[in-house]
Amino acid sequence: MANLRINGAARTVAADDDIPLLWVLREQLQMTGTKYGCGIAQCGACTVHIDGRAARACVTPAAVLQGREVVTIEGVSGDVARAVQETWRRLDVAQCGYCQSGQIMSAIALLSEIRRPSDADIDAAMTGNVCRCATYVRIRAAIHEAATTLGA
Amino acid sequence: MFTRRRFLETTALAGAALVVGVRFDSRPAAAVEGLAPDAFVRIAPDNTVTIISKHIELGQGSYSGVATILAEELDADWSQIRVESAPSDAARYGNRLLGGAQVTGGSTAMADSWSQMRRAGATARAMLVEAAAREWSIPASEITVDRGVVSHAPSGRRATFGELASKAAAIAPPAQVTLKDPKDFKLVGKQPPRVDSRAKTDGSAQYTMDFAVPGMLTALIARPPRFGATVKSFDATAARRVKGVTHVVPVPAGVAVVAESFWAARKGREALRVAWDESRAEKRGTDELYAAYRVLAGRPATRARREGDADGALRGAARVLEAVYEFPYLAHAPMEPLDAVIRVGADGCDLWAGSQAPTIDQQVVAQIVGVPANTVRVHTLLGGGSFGRRATPNGDVAGEAASIAKAIGGDRAVKLVWTREDDIQGGRYRPLYVHRLRGGLDAAGNIVGWEHRIVGQSIASGTPFESAMVKDGVDRTSVEGAANLPYAIANIAVDLHTTRIGVPVLWWRSVGSTHTAYSTETFLDELAHAVGRDPVDLRRALLAKHPRHLAALNLAADRAGWGQTLPSGRARGVAVHESFNSVVAQVVEVSRRPDGLPKVERVVCAVDCGTAINPDVVRAQMEGGIGYGLAAALWNEVTLVRGRVQQRNFDTYRPLRIGEMPAVEVHIVPSGAAPTGVGEPGVPPIAPAVANAFFQLTGQRVRRLPFARLAAAGTRTS
Ligand code: FES
Ligand code: FES
């Protein structure tokens, strides 16, 4: 058993057997917004925030997260999150949508750190997030637009 | 047992005032009051309009498209629209363009829905208007409807749809309805936002991977290392010791490890020992297949098209160009790996899946479980991408889930998950093909003969689609895009060698056009270059009888500034191709990456898809098709060595990443024709357009895909 803080709440989960955070979230806590896409840190579908930074839940053992702050797409909040999610809707970024929780979590982490990201900043921060529907044109546009909305 | 089907029939008999909610669980849905004139729309007293989509939402925007068409004729307000997926019932929800089976595919969702959804919307509208007319004792002709409000201007009376719904339910649906004049459209051709964007941005959108019912188990299958191998024996001792593993059972696809959680199933599968019987397995590698196919490409084959005398024209030509192309096996790799949830109960069987073909799944599950098909309820959930993979002629994933449920017995639900490795290594690929093209030029530089030979596996052969898709020994999916070459060339021969290889194959976003567009559009470019013609000019000259091609080509060329000088280090290329009754032209600008591969900087895309129901969805599909096609063209191939797939996951089957996505501009050719496909047609032109630009830039012709093989082979070209 491990005591985690997820979306601001204390949760006790079964974290034996090197189980990754991804499956704890999805199967023990029914937080299915965080997705499985590859399991080997190659696609970013499982992106969450750990202490405010984007991390891949599929390769992060839940047991090492005692005392760390985990935020998922279900719990993300604040100005930056709101701006990102609203812009994503305004531009209809999502196609199948399966990658988009991860994209949004990475975009929020980026904009929290760099208020006016350049294209190169976006490439660097988002390169780990695969979209097989190739919504990248809109992801880039949405990040720029969200940055403008935030008025940094 | 009071089944859901029975419930539907009963409530239908009870009259239109009672309608049934389509739900994702198997309990009989609660009846609600309101108007439900047919299977496609339900208007509730709370003023919501629920549209029932028979086409699955895989990202291609079908829910939004279907809703736009129906809401247009209904004159609903976009904010009151909800969309649900249709239950499995081919009688009501069959695709009229695909033989009446309930199938989403072939980029037909809008074409199939256009007249049907317009009629459904107009019918409901007429009933609401009639209800208001009776209520207010005025002639129906004086009533107007706008954004969900029914009004009578002279008396100032108004009512919402919700207020009228129950009264309208008492009115018989009219036999005839008048559809709108397209000039009065308020939603079609405009930009209503997608209906699924909210759920897809807050984590609440539910895919099969996310679906769960109490007590559900999770299963993975240990699959053979070579296609066609079967289980000889297995030792489950260690697997069963893994905490959470509940069953280890042989199934036709391999050995299923069933557990209380995904992680336990994965651990269990790792611990499992399986001995395989590989006596009938496919043991050739892709290098051997290419070699064998190249030999076949030099031999006469089954004719797919004959115009004039290509053979004679080539013999008499002043100059003959020849090129041989190689196309690899490709995995679809949708973002959501394959999955299905099944529960076999006393009252029938429930399958939850993001499947493109509920009718096939229903039959496959029924056969395996041994129950009548009409007791199998398929609940269609959102699909996390598909690109063709979730539409198999044998309902492979549903069938595997059913075989596991049957093997373990009992009535606990089971979720079958394919890991990403299972997906990349598990087959059902776009087939590997070799093409040989020969083109004859006369002394004046005219193309006088065109011979195109294609070698590869048939997708339809051995499936229920064979009789419809294979004619005179030619699978039309193998030659589409080649056999209907639009160019005005007097002598054309297109031939096909169909091979039999033990690697399972499947349609992959844009099917035959994934390879035929490449060989035809790059070879035409070679001919243009050989005679010193501008590639756009030559196409224009040869497309005089194809106004849609011409319009798309001209639009893309104009907007791209074709002919204008580019900065050094950049070059342009063009391709135009028709697929799924839509025509797409793309002009690309490329530069060179440090590793020698092309970097695509900009794509200008023009599309004629008839009426663009949701122009922004059309744009999105072109953007997505370009990115999907580009990843494959640059990097993707599934290779086999002695029958073993060499790629495993996204580390070795490389997806396109954000920094590699070009800027994309999409222009839609104005059209009042009925809508045609958009999900697939964006894919075919990108690879040949890039190849043509790459030749302009480097002088190199790329005839083996993916481009990454260039780096592997140095600068070698065919
Ligand atoms: S599932 Fe974690 S990066 Fe792909
Ligand atoms: S929207 Fe489908 S994978 Fe990104």
Side-chain angles (χ1 to χ4, degrees), chain B residues 550-598:
Chain B
L550 263 184
L553 177 65
N554 287 333
L555 183 55
D558 281 1
R559 298 302 170 95
W562 185 265
Q564 289 167 20
T565 323
L566 281 170
S568 77
R570 283 214 189 187
R572 282 193 195 92
V574 65
V576 57
H577 191 79
E578 177 181 1
S579 60
F580 307 93
N581 302 317
S582 292
V583 180
V584 179
Q586 291 169 6
V587 173
V588 307
E589 286 176 26
V590 304
S591 63
R592 210 161 184 191
R593 292 161 44 106
D595 63 4
L597 296 187

Side-chain angles (χ1 to χ4, degrees), chain B residues 136-326:
Chain B
W136 301 335
S137 304
I138 49 154
S141 60
E142 290 178 9
I143 289 175
T144 57
V145 186
D146 185 36
R147 275 168 290 177
V149 178
V150 180
S151 2
H152 182 239
S155 65
R157 305 192 72 153
R158 300 156 53 86
T160 64
F161 286 1
E163 287 160 357
L164 292 166
S166 295
K167 294 182 191 98
I171 291 166
Q176 293 285 323
V177 286
T178 314
L179 301 180
K180 282 185 182 177
D181 184 327
K183 74 170 170 26
D184 299 327
F185 284 162
K186 294 181 186 130
L187 291 170
V188 168
K190 312 293 186 270
Q191 315 258 30
R194 285 181 69 122
V195 295
D196 49 353
S197 271
R198 174 164 286 272
K200 288 177 176 177
T201 50
D202 64 10
S204 66
Q206 196 179 44
Y207 306 84
T208 307
M209 195 67 78
D210 309 326
F211 184 81
V213 291
M216 184 181 78
L217 298 166
T218 298
L220 301 188
I221 295 177
R223 298 169 190 280
R226 290 186 170 93
F227 296 112
T230 53
V231 177
K232 190 190 287 170
S233 63
F234 65 95
D235 175 0
T237 319
R240 287 209 174 89
R241 270 204 295 268
V242 171
K243 195 170 128 208
V245 169
T246 57
H247 308 77
V248 180
V249 288
V251 289
V255 180
V257 179
V258 188
E260 302 284 354
S261 70
F262 173 89
W263 198 246
R266 221 199 90 158
K267 291 262 167 185
R269 185 169 78 168
E270 274 168 16
L272 180 69
R273 298 279 163 273
V274 186
W276 301 96
D277 174 356
E278 301 191 74
S279 57
R280 291 223 291 267
E282 178 59 73
K283 297 188 193 68
R284 280 171 288 185
T286 37
D287 282 347
E288 287 130 284
L289 297 184
Y290 281 128
Y293 283 20
R294 288 176 81 105
V295 171
L296 283 174
R299 295 188 189 150
T302 311
R303 60 169 66 181
R305 177 176 175 187
R306 283 290 180 281
E307 284 310 316
D309 174 13
D311 205 43
L314 285 165
R315 263 185 278 113
R319 224 176 132 187
V320 174
L321 266 62
E322 175 174 334
V324 175
Y325 296 85
E326 296 181 357

Side-chain angles (χ1 to χ4, degrees), chain A residues 16-18 23 26-27 32 35-38 42 85 89 92 95-98 127 130 132-133 136 138, chain B residues 58-59 194 197 200-201 207 209-210 243 261-263 332-333 420 616 620-621 623-624 649 656-657:
Chain A
D16 47 338
D17 220 10
D18 63 17
W23 298 103
R26 292 181 52 81
E27 296 190 334
T32 55
K35 304 299 187 198
Y36 164 69
C38 71
Q42 287 288 314
Q85 287 172 303
R89 289 167 199 155
D92 275 345
Q95 289 187 25
C96 84
Y98 193 81
T127 196
V130 170
R132 285 293 284 163
C133 300
Y136 299 121
R138 291 173 194 230
Chain B
L58 302 159
R194 285 181 69 122
S197 271
K200 288 177 176 177
T201 50
Y207 306 84
M209 195 67 78
D210 309 326
K243 195 170 128 208
S261 70
F262 173 89
W263 198 246
H332 305 70
R420 178 61 61 199
D616 197 50
Q621 285 308 294
E623 292 163 8
N649 200 318
L656 192 82
R657 293 180 185 275

Side-chain angles (χ1 to χ4, degrees), chain B residues 54-58 60 62-63 104 354-356 380-383:
Chain B
K54 61 180 179 174
H55 290 288
I56 183 177
E57 176 59 69
L58 302 159
Q60 83 283 39
S62 58
Y63 279 10
T104 303
S355 168
Q356 289 179 242
T380 300
L381 306 184
L382 294 172

Side-chain angles (χ1 to χ4, degrees), chain A residues 93-100 103 130-135, chain B residues 335 384-385:
Chain A
V93 172
Q95 289 187 25
C96 84
Y98 193 81
C99 73
Q100 298 295 346
Q103 304 282 0
V130 170
C131 176
R132 285 293 284 163
C133 300
T135 61
Chain B
M335 205 68 212

